[in-house]
Amino acid sequence: MIKKTARYKITFAYDGSNFAGMQVQPHQRTVEQVLTVAVNRIAKKPQPPVAVIASGRTDAKVHALGQVAHFDLPFEIEPVALLKALNSSLPLDVLVKKVEPVSFDFHARFSAHNKRYRYRVSQGEFVNPFKRDYTGHFKYPLDVAKMQLACQDFVGEHDFTSFVASGSNVKSHVRTIYSATVVPDNTQNEIVLEFSGSGFLYNQVRIMVAVLLEIGTGQRAVDDIPKILAGKDRQLARWTAPASGLYLVSVGYENNLHNTTKSIDEKGNLK
Amino acid sequence: MIKKTARYKITFAYDGSNFAGMQVQPHQRTVEQVLTVAVNRIAKKPQPPVAVIASGRTDAKVHALGQVAHFDLPFEIEPVALLKALNSSLPLDVLVKKVEPVSFDFHARFSAHNKRYRYRVSQGEFVNPFKRDYTGHFKYPLDVAKMQLACQDFVGEHDFTSFVASGSNVKSHVRTIYSATVVPDNTQNEIVLEFSGSGFLYNQVRIMVAVLLEIGTGQRAVDDIPKILAGKDRQLARWTAPASGLYLVSVGYENNLHNTTKSIDEKGNLK
């Protein structure tokens, strides 16, 4: 007997505050773990269990607005029914925003073409209690124009050895940054940094943000980034910005790998 | 030997998500408890310890933007130095925004003339994970115009027996509401309700919000509130809106009871 299976791509948001990151770890509450529980409940607990494959890791406390994963179910199901079943089953700090049936060629990690990250820096002498888990707080005045100029030095293909945490064991540190922006949000007293690229190394965005903050305070020269990249030495980049300010905004794929379908809009409604 | 003591009024914000409310309770993390620890550390642990007196309780999960308390220190200290010392000592989910030296006539609870509460209702079919602790979620469509009309029936002096939780043991249920507003925030897909009044009973705002939501859906008639008030029966008002959407915005006092001084502005800076 041949079982009919079907592959689904899900796009989901999570508040990372109470998670020990994306990836399953023993005795820890992770996003992958709560998703795997929910998916296997819907799949009626098959043996072996259904595996949920994400586009990549995010660290403890890091948030996502549009993380992506895929999994195979032992049956076909309407995307909207699956979306509702997942959101009924998941805890409130994870929200599945979109479900798409995809071909078995689609792989959340290997098919990913690009990722976009956002980093929210909150300013002011004291931390707003409502932002403590949702921004990285930095009290010193920043020259945003300098940061805007300097961040362009990240754009292009570079060896990011100076911008990878020591825990990483990937072979190549070469990555391509497609765009980098630094935008002040004066009503919120925040500075918002965004990076899109082919992929990012462990802690790369948080180390890039920390270097840009040092450029913003004048502790570093505005043309320091090419030197740090060329040095290929993690010690050159020094700090890592806190996880709480980081958001995985979106993961990009080639469009022909999946069909569009209904999703939850910015207002929380199905559209 | 006569010790010189000084009374201080503090205005503070807190994210109520991880607190079992304002008031000290055994074996619970409360705002009063963390404030008392911080104040007594600054006071160099006098015996008996310094008591921190708040304007009133807030429930578990309820937030504050401008809660007020007072305490007496066994010495005088510059308000700005006290503000910085408190914020260095307090956990990040509490922020002291203002410190004012006050006369011994000032009492945070008994001198309070009015309080203002805000309630944030988030709409949409699904809960935004980043709003789950900061709004009350209500998925059903609401007729805001009806709610705006109906909320005016709360304004004035009324017996709020129908709007008090059964746990309350105060003698009089008569309170005066000075203003009531219902304002849609379309960019956030929220509806924001605000009430200012002489004082509020246990759960009063959350029960008032629940009645207004029922009027907004059409489950209740727009002129139901005078009948519920007249009935003086808690069963008539039925629901209580979740604590997560409620904010104590401010507590009002007569101006001659204290001097103004430096405070932290909306951007987190001392001004």
Side-chain angles (χ1 to χ4, degrees), chain A residues 14-15 18 63 65 83-84 87 92-93 95 123-127 129-130 132 186 189 264 267-269, chain B residues 14-15 18 63 65 83-84 87 92-93 95 123-127 129-130 132 186 189 264 267-269:
Chain A
Y14 47 88
D15 176 341
N18 299 325
H63 312 290
L65 305 174
L83 183 144
K84 290 184 177 178
N87 284 330
L92 290 180
D93 43 0
L95 175 69
Q123 293 256 267
E125 187 164 347
F126 299 95
V127 193
F130 297 97
R132 73 193 190 289
N186 290 324
N189 201 24
I264 296 176
K267 298 192 165 182
N269 291 314
Chain B
Y14 48 87
D15 176 341
N18 298 324
H63 312 291
L65 305 174
L83 182 143
K84 288 183 178 178
N87 285 329
L92 290 180
D93 44 359
L95 175 69
Q123 294 255 266
E125 186 165 346
F126 299 95
V127 192
F130 297 96
R132 72 192 190 288
N186 291 323
N189 202 23
I264 296 175
K267 297 193 165 182
N269 292 312

Side-chain angles (χ1 to χ4, degrees), chain A residues 16-52:
Chain A
S17 308
N18 299 325
F19 286 111
M22 179 68 215
Q23 199 177 38
V24 165
Q25 293 181 59
H27 314 299
Q28 301 270 8
R29 183 175 187 263
T30 68
V31 182
E32 198 174 292
Q33 177 241 324
V34 300
L35 277 170
T36 303
V37 168
V39 167
N40 278 280
R41 195 178 299 148
I42 292 162
K44 309 212 160 87
K45 306 196 175 171
Q47 285 303 331
V50 176
V52 176

Side-chain angles (χ1 to χ4, degrees), chain A residues 198-216:
Chain A
S198 60
F200 292 86
L201 300 163
Y202 188 46
N203 279 2
Q204 182 181 339
V205 177
R206 293 166 55 190
I207 300 169
M208 287 162 62
V209 169
V211 165
L212 286 168
L213 290 173
E214 285 196 305
I215 288 170

Side-chain angles (χ1 to χ4, degrees), chain B residues 87-103:
Chain B
N87 285 329
S88 303
S89 185
L90 285 165
L92 290 180
D93 44 359
V94 183
L95 175 69
V96 176
K97 298 169 86 171
K98 202 173 186 180
V99 172
E100 296 164 277
V102 287
S103 72

Side-chain angles (χ1 to χ4, degrees), chain A residues 255-266:
Chain A
N255 279 328
N256 58 6
L257 284 169
H258 51 80
N259 312 306
T260 53
T261 176
K262 283 200 174 185
S263 67
I264 296 176
D265 66 13
E266 290 310 305

Side-chain angles (χ1 to χ4, degrees), chain A residues 185-203:
Chain A
D185 178 345
N186 290 324
T187 58
Q188 288 288 324
N189 201 24
E190 291 182 17
I191 290 163
V192 180
L193 300 93
E194 283 204 15
F195 304 94
S196 91
S198 60
F200 292 86
L201 300 163
Y202 188 46
N203 279 2

